[in-house]
């Protein structure tokens, strides 16, 4: 009977044909001395170069360690990470980028931190080797906003190098572009979170798939995260707060009728619609409280976007 897997290293890759072999070698060099059973799960996110063929070769030569998930087309980093998390068999799951900017030598430090009782350990690229205006400055602003809005003060939410317990990461609902919000989303499961400083290297091959143009997605996802975190703790209060503007607009329309000689039908209808909207939001809050009390709150059951079976296959 094969020994249980202690560690899974999940690596999403997209058009990284020059990087995958050196990264595989560095992960082996970092994990072999640990004397634990581990696996490397590469997720090919629909690469158009020779990335998958190279990964397939690595799997054939090192089938005991290397596993490969392949998407039929590019679905994005979050979907790739989710597929990797689902395929992972280890008790501890470490995620990292496939462009050689994260350093596998930090993996032992993550494992030591996890032994202190943490469920999620985040990497902090304190000395980040990226361009200031296009990468570092937007990242600083986004991390500050994420910390303020979610209440989880992580220095570097965008760092893919993180470690998780399997039972926590498999329960975190992830979809769209929400991989950068894993620490905040993991609080829905009651996870204990820590942070350690990690190495960061300049990109050696290819070009970055990210830039300042993606900032707007971060801000849109922030609103969703705030709603999910707020809803998970006090749904009635959250939806009641959303109903306040509708109530005020409804009263405004109703009061305006008193000062207009011939108000017509528009203002009364608008007033009624705003009040109905407010009543609907309040009812949603009450329903949310009832769902929360019965222990069936949706984030713990929500399916992440895509699965291995739907989007590709597993080697």
């Amino acid at each position: 009977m094969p020994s249980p897997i202690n560690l899974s290293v999940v690596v999403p890759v997209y058009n990284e044909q020059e990087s995958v072999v050196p990264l595989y070698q560095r992960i082996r060099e970092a994990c072999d001395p640990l004397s634990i059973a581990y696996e490397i799960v590469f997720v090919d996110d629909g690469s158009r170069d020779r990335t998958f063929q190279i990964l397939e070769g690595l799997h054939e030569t090192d089938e005991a360690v290397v596993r490969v998930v392949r998407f039929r087309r590019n679905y994005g980093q979050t979907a790739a990470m989710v597929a990797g998390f689902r395929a992972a068999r280890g008790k501890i799951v470490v995620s990292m980028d496939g462009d050689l900017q994260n350093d596998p030598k930090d993996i032992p430090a993550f494992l030591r931190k996890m032994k202190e009782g943490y469920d999620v350990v985040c990497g902090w690229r304190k000395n980040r080797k990226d361009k200031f205006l296009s990468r570092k400055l937007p990242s600083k602003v986004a991390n500050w906003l994420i910390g303020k809005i979610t209440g989880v003060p992580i220095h570097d939410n965008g760092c893919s190098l993180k470690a998780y317990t399997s039972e926590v990461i498999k329960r975190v609902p992830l979809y769209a572009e929400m991989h950068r919000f894993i620490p905040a989303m993991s609080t829905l499961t009651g996870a204990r979170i820590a942070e350690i400083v990690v190495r960061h290297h300049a990109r050696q091959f290819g070009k970055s798939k990210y830039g300042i143009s993606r900032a707007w997605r971060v801000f849109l996802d922030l609103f969703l995260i705030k709603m999910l975190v707020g809803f998970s703790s006090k749904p009635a209060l959250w939806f009641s707060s959303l109903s306040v503007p509708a109530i005020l607009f409804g009263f405004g329309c109703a009061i305006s009728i008193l000062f207009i000689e011939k108000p017509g039908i528009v203002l009364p209808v608008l007033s009624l619609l705003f009040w109905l909207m407010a009543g609907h939001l309040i009812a949603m809050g009450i329903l949310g409280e009832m769902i929360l009390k019965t222990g069936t709150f949706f984030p713990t059951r929500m399916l992440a976007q895509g699965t291995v079976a739907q989007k590709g296959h597993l080697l």
Side-chain angles (χ1 to χ4, degrees):
M1 182 177 179
S3 59
I5 304 296
N6 299 104
L7 170 67
S8 295
V9 182
V10 174
V11 188
V13 289
Y14 176 61
N15 293 340
E16 298 286 358
Q17 61 182 10
E18 299 92 352
S19 301
V20 288
V21 172
L23 179 59
Y24 157 76
Q25 294 171 342
R26 294 178 189 181
I27 294 175
R28 293 287 325 233
E29 291 170 1
C31 294
D32 282 347
L34 297 175
S35 300
I36 60 174
Y38 71 93
E39 64 180 1
I40 308 171
V41 182
F42 287 100
V43 184
D44 176 28
D45 189 17
S47 297
R48 296 190 295 270
D49 59 5
R50 295 187 62 254
T51 296
F52 177 71
Q53 287 72 27
I54 296 172
L55 291 175
E56 196 172 27
L58 290 174
H59 170 71
E60 291 175 356
T61 57
D62 194 1
E63 187 174 347
V65 172
V66 177
R67 305 174 70 216
V68 183
V69 179
R70 187 187 190 188
F71 284 177
R72 298 188 183 95
R73 67 173 179 84
N74 180 245
Y75 285 90
Q77 187 174 2
T78 300
M81 292 179 74
V82 169
F85 294 152
R86 289 186 172 185
R89 299 172 295 179
K91 298 177 182 178
I92 301 296
V93 181
V94 173
S95 64
M96 63 189 310
D97 285 331
D99 54 9
L100 297 176
Q101 291 194 271
N102 296 144
D103 198 326
K105 291 179 182 178
D106 289 313
I107 291 176
F110 279 93
L111 299 183
R112 289 193 296 270
K113 196 68 177 178
M114 294 289 286
K115 288 182 179 179
E116 297 178 14
Y118 293 102
D119 302 295
V120 178
V121 180
C122 305
W124 175 16
R125 298 167 293 181
K126 194 171 184 178
N127 186 22
R128 187 172 177 178
K129 307 297 184 181
D130 280 323
K131 294 180 180 179
F132 180 77
L133 287 178
S134 62
R135 300 296 300 276
K136 295 172 72 173
L137 180 60
S139 178
K140 286 181 179 294
V141 175
N143 285 315
W144 180 81
L145 283 173
I146 292 170
K148 288 293 183 182
I149 292 175
T150 64
V152 183
I154 299 298
H155 289 92
D156 192 0
N157 287 275
C159 181
S160 296
L161 187 53
K162 295 182 175 73
Y164 328 86
T165 58
S166 177
E167 56 267 26
V168 165
I169 195 58
K170 290 178 183 290
R171 292 171 56 198
V172 174
L174 295 174
Y175 44 92
E177 295 288 333
M178 295 177 65
H179 59 274
R180 62 179 63 86
F181 301 113
I182 288 178
M185 296 297 290
S186 65
T187 60
L188 297 173
T189 67
R192 292 186 62 203
I193 303 172
E195 188 175 30
I196 62 173
V197 175
V198 298
R199 303 171 180 89
H200 191 247
H201 304 290
R203 173 177 277 272
Q204 299 180 35
F205 307 105
K207 59 181 181 179
S208 175
K209 284 77 175 177
Y210 302 95
I212 196 169
S213 60
R214 298 172 66 91
W216 66 274
R217 296 186 183 182
V218 177
F219 297 119
L220 290 177
D221 288 338
L222 267 175
F223 174 76
L224 178 59
I225 289 293
K226 180 62 178 177
M227 187 187 75
L228 288 175
V229 174
F231 184 90
S232 67
S233 57
K234 299 178 180 179
L237 178 62
W238 176 259
F239 279 102
S240 296
S241 300
L242 291 179
S243 71
V244 171
I247 294 173
L248 294 177
F249 278 117
F251 273 113
C253 292
I255 293 173
S256 299
I257 296 173
L258 302 176
F259 298 95
I260 298 176
E261 186 175 348
K262 296 181 179 180
I265 196 173
V266 176
L267 287 176
V269 170
L270 281 176
S271 179
L272 179 61
L273 287 176
F274 279 125
W275 283 336
L276 288 174
M277 182 187 301
H280 177 73
L281 289 170
I282 293 172
M284 289 290 288
I286 296 172
L287 180 61
E289 288 283 352
M290 295 174 64
I291 294 174
L292 190 62
K293 298 300 183 185
T294 58
T296 56
F297 174 52
F298 75 91
T300 61
R301 296 175 177 265
M302 188 185 301
L303 293 180
Q305 181 188 26
T307 65
V308 177
Q310 293 171 335
K311 296 190 174 184
H313 63 273
L314 173 66
L315 295 180

